[in-house]
Structure formats: structure tokens, C-alpha cells
Amino acid sequence: MKIITLTLGPVQTNTYIVADEESKEAIVVDPSWEGAEIAKTALEAGLQIKEIWLTHAHFDHIGGIADLVKSLPETPPVYLHPDDYDLWKDGGGGARFGIQIDPGPEPIPLEHGQMLKVGKFSFETRHTPGHRPGHSVFYCADAGVLFSGDLIFYRSVGRTDLPGGNWATLEKSIREQIYSLPAETQIFSGHGDATSVGDEKENNHFVKGK
């Protein structure tokens, strides 16, 4: 598995190009900003973007979708949990921060337990509300990799003071859907450095592992 990290946009959001190096098939997790740059990076790496997966619909995670889609030969399907469709339709809530975006093509609904594929790699969708009602994460057991969006960060967690946020729900999602994974699982978050399940269970002071 090849993972390319691009940190883009006004709040330095991580966008991930995830690829099967054998088939050269790729997907993009959270095209945060500068969609044409994402497409260019994939092209230069010899990769074909087949799908777009969204952890949630805040503007800094969907701001690059429209330009990314325009930069590709075919429009890829975009996946998002339906509990975040309202935010997607509202441009990711960017207006409250003075930012207007085109949210791109209408998403296909994701559900908990749904399997998504990139080449030979299968990812399990896990619904993880708390930061947003429709927040989801993507876990590949074979590669030991998790894309966690804004649920959990390196020794930190996602904020719950924005519309749709709830602390108790966030904590429950982390304990049940993240801390239940193998300790060596690598976590690639929406902001900041990568971490691991084991490190967070030991050192995350917001939600301690039990």
C-alpha cells in the first residue's frame, strides 16, 4: 500500500492518496483543498484515482472535491455517511468562517460495516459520531492502517463544540471503534502527525485506554 499525505487548505488538513502499487488504483480520503494539486500528485505518481472517501463533511475536508473532480478524466463516486449530508449541502459550514466552497457531486451513502476497496486492499467503514453525527473512519486490517478523520489525533481528539458535536458520543466512538483495534494499527488523522492505537491508549489524556 502506498500512502501520500498532502497537508492543504486554511487549517492545514491532511488529505491522503491511498493506492495499491500493483494495480495503480487509488482513492482520496478527504480532499481538503487544492483539488487540482491532488490530481497532479496522483498523476505524477502514476496512480489512477477511482473513488473519494469522506470521513465527514466539514469544509476543510471537502473543499478540494470540486476541483479534483474537474481535473480527472471521469467523475469518481464520492462516499459520505448520510448523517452528514446536511452539512455537505451547506458547503461544509464554511460560511460561518467566511469561506464559500463548492461541495462537488452528490455523495453515495456510507453505512457502518460497509466494505470499500482500493485495488486488492479492503477497508471497513466504521461509523464514529461525536465530532460530527456522520463521521466515519476507514480501517484496513490487512495493512494495519486506519484513516481517522477528526475523531482522534496524535495524543488529542476532535473538537465537540461545533454543531453536531457531542463529547460522550465521541468518547464512546473512540473506545469502541478505535481502542478495540490492534495496538500496532497506524492512525492517519485529519490534522497533525500519524500515531498508533497503542500509543493513544497509553498516552491520550483526553480518552485513556482501559
Side-chain angles (χ1 to χ4, degrees):
M1 181 182 291
K2 183 181 186 70
I3 301 172
I4 300 172
T5 306
L6 300 171
T7 305
L8 306 167
V11 290
Q12 295 291 282
T13 305
N14 291 331
T15 289
Y16 298 101
I17 301 171
V18 186
D20 176 348
E21 292 190 272
E22 291 179 13
S23 68
K24 302 300 181 184
E25 287 188 357
I27 59 91
V28 178
V29 178
D30 292 351
S32 58
W33 222 251
E34 298 174 49
E37 181 65 25
I38 298 169
K40 180 184 174 189
T41 300
L43 183 65
E44 289 175 347
L47 305 174
Q48 293 182 308
I49 295 172
K50 297 293 189 180
E51 296 180 349
I52 296 170
W53 304 350
L54 304 178
T55 60
H56 63 297
H58 275 141
F59 75 91
D60 62 310
H61 290 255
I62 68 171
I65 294 176
D67 281 344
L68 172 57
V69 168
K70 290 174 189 172
S71 302
L72 298 174
E74 296 181 7
T75 300
V78 179
Y79 289 93
L80 174 68
H81 193 282
D83 287 355
D84 256 32
Y85 275 25
D86 59 339
L87 185 62
W88 171 83
K89 289 176 183 175
D90 191 38
R96 70 172 54 234
F97 300 99
I99 297 172
Q100 300 288 339
I101 66 160
D102 177 350
E106 185 163 349
I108 296 168
L110 272 177
E111 58 184 49
H112 183 75
Q114 183 173 342
M115 300 303 293
L116 299 173
K117 293 197 75 171
V118 52
K120 66 176 179 289
F121 296 102
S122 294
F123 282 80
E124 176 193 357
T125 302
R126 293 183 166 213
H127 182 215
T128 52
H131 176 66
R132 274 291 305 170
H135 195 289
S136 298
V137 301
F138 306 107
Y139 170 59
C140 179
D142 288 342
V145 166
L146 173 82
F147 293 96
S148 70
D150 285 3
L151 177 70
I152 188 168
F153 307 118
Y154 173 70
R155 299 185 183 178
S156 187
V157 298
R159 58 191 293 184
T160 57
D161 59 329
L162 295 172
N166 182 281
W167 171 256
T169 305
L170 180 105
E171 185 176 24
K172 183 173 187 286
S173 290
I174 291 172
R175 291 196 186 284
E176 294 183 357
Q177 303 300 333
I178 308 301
Y179 287 174
S180 60
L181 298 175
E184 64 272 16
T185 304
Q186 289 182 284
I187 298 176
F188 293 90
S189 304
H191 303 273
D193 295 334
T195 182
S196 70
V197 169
D199 187 283
E200 295 311 310
K201 287 176 79 170
E202 280 290 319
N203 300 302
N204 192 311
H205 296 295
F206 293 90
V207 181
K208 292 288 284 182
K210 290 182 180 177

